[in-house]
Amino acid sequence: MIMPRPTAAQLAYGSCTVIFSTLAMLLLSQTSSGAGIAVIAVAALLLGLLVAMTVPMPKKPRVVAVRKPARAHADREQAEEPVLTQS
């Protein structure tokens, strides 16, 4: 299965989640040990990944045929008709 590329919204939401959740958890836990910081960093990355994956993907663009009214087309043909001139 081919995984589609992440959209700009997914990257933005995921990155903001990682940054803000890391800061919030570090401030709330007041940890200074390396192991505590590593656990918080991993948790923030997982949370950011979860948020990025839940952002809805855009639907495939629909191709819509556009038809112009017949009269407008006929009027244009008459207006673009070449004028014969004598040389």
Side-chain angles (χ1 to χ4, degrees), residues 64-70 72-73 76:
V64 179
V66 178
R67 292 188 180 187
K68 296 182 180 178
H73 185 64
R76 188 179 315 128

Side-chain angles (χ1 to χ4, degrees), residues 66-82:
V66 178
R67 292 188 180 187
K68 296 182 180 178
R71 279 190 191 167
H73 185 64
D75 293 343
R76 188 179 315 128
E77 284 181 359
Q78 291 173 356
E80 294 175 358
E81 215 171 82

Side-chain angles (χ1 to χ4, degrees), residues 14-83:
S15 299
C16 288
T17 301
V18 169
I19 293 168
F20 291 126
S21 63
T22 302
L23 288 175
M25 286 189 279
L26 284 173
L27 289 173
L28 291 172
S29 69
Q30 297 179 353
T31 186
S32 59
S33 69
I37 293 172
V39 168
I40 289 174
V42 169
L45 286 173
L46 291 174
L47 185 61
L49 182 63
L50 177 70
V51 168
M53 297 308 290
T54 56
V55 174
M57 294 289 290
K59 294 181 181 179
K60 292 182 181 180
R62 293 182 3 191
V63 178
V64 179
V66 178
R67 292 188 180 187
K68 296 182 180 178
R71 279 190 191 167
H73 185 64
D75 293 343
R76 188 179 315 128
E77 284 181 359
Q78 291 173 356
E80 294 175 358
E81 215 171 82
V83 178

